């Protein structure tokens, strides 16, 4: 029964993989570029550089965890 249940989940994850990779990659690179640009430009009184950089890293971590979960499901 596990194979019957996991097949649609794996198929959906494989179909969503390019979209997830693109969004996470864009947010990772764009977040770091934006954080550095706003920190250097001194636009406001205090820019939350560490929060924005941490959010960008979280997108990268999510992409890695997504790949690991997909590998673990496909392995069976």
């Amino acid at each position: 029964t596990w194979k019957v249940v996991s097949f649609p989940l794996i198929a959906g994850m494989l179909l969503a993989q390019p979209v997830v990779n693109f969004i996470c990659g864009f947010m990772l690179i764009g977040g770091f570029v934006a954080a550095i640009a706003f920190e250097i430009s001194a636009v406001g009184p205090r820019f939350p550089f560490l929060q924005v950089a941490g959010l960008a890293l979280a997108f990268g971590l999510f992409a890695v965890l997504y790949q690991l979960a997909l590998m673990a499901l496909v392995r069976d």
Side-chain angles (χ1 to χ4, degrees):
T1 60
W2 170 246
K3 298 255 184 207
V4 172
V5 172
S6 68
F7 180 73
L9 177 66
I10 294 169
M13 286 181 75
L14 282 173
L15 286 174
Q17 184 182 12
V19 175
V20 169
N21 285 342
F22 176 76
I23 291 173
C24 287
F26 180 77
M27 293 301 289
L28 176 66
I29 304 241
F32 271 125
V33 169
I36 291 170
F38 278 109
E39 184 69 21
I40 291 172
S41 70
V43 171
R46 177 75 179 109
F47 178 72
F49 175 76
L50 291 178
Q51 287 87 1
V52 174
L55 185 63
L57 278 176
F59 275 101
L61 180 65
F62 178 76
V64 169
L65 291 176
Y66 189 86
Q67 296 297 328
L68 290 175
L70 191 57
M71 287 186 337
L73 287 172
V74 170
R75 183 177 50 101
D76 290 337

